[in-house]
Amino acid sequence: MSERFQIKNRFTGAMQFECDIECEASASAGVRLGMAVKLAVKACADLRGANLAGANLADADLAGAYLRGAYLRGAYLRGADLAGANLAAA
């Protein structure tokens, strides 16, 4: 199933990144968000202040990602590569 997905700013609610993701209809919101974040990082998107709460980012390549001030409460980051990622105030 193809779905249009948006990552929004945690403070303003403004859209920061939009993409199409391919997932099962039964995929959780965390899985969908995780897929969108991975695409955003590949596109070098600025995710400063993004609402990433509950994102499933297991084993994600987030090296060098700009996540300053991102809201990561409940995000699953096991095995994620965060080398050089900006996580200040996250």
Side-chain angles (χ1 to χ4, degrees):
M1 170 179 119
S2 181
E3 173 185 350
R4 195 77 178 151
F5 198 91
Q6 296 180 343
I7 297 175
K8 296 186 177 182
N9 185 279
R10 68 185 271 199
F11 302 109
T12 66
M15 181 185 62
Q16 288 184 248
F17 185 79
E18 187 173 35
C19 62
D20 290 315
I21 58 172
E22 294 287 333
C23 62
E24 298 291 325
S26 61
S28 70
V31 167
R32 287 183 168 113
L33 179 55
M35 294 172 81
V37 170
K38 291 172 189 175
L39 290 171
V41 170
K42 279 186 182 179
C44 297
D46 181 352
L47 296 178
R48 173 183 21 194
N51 184 357
L52 307 180
N56 184 340
L57 298 168
D59 300 316
D61 180 4
L62 303 175
Y66 195 74
L67 303 171
R68 181 181 182 93
Y71 188 59
L72 293 165
R73 184 178 195 140
Y76 186 66
L77 295 163
R78 184 180 188 147
D81 181 359
L82 296 166
N86 185 333
L87 297 167

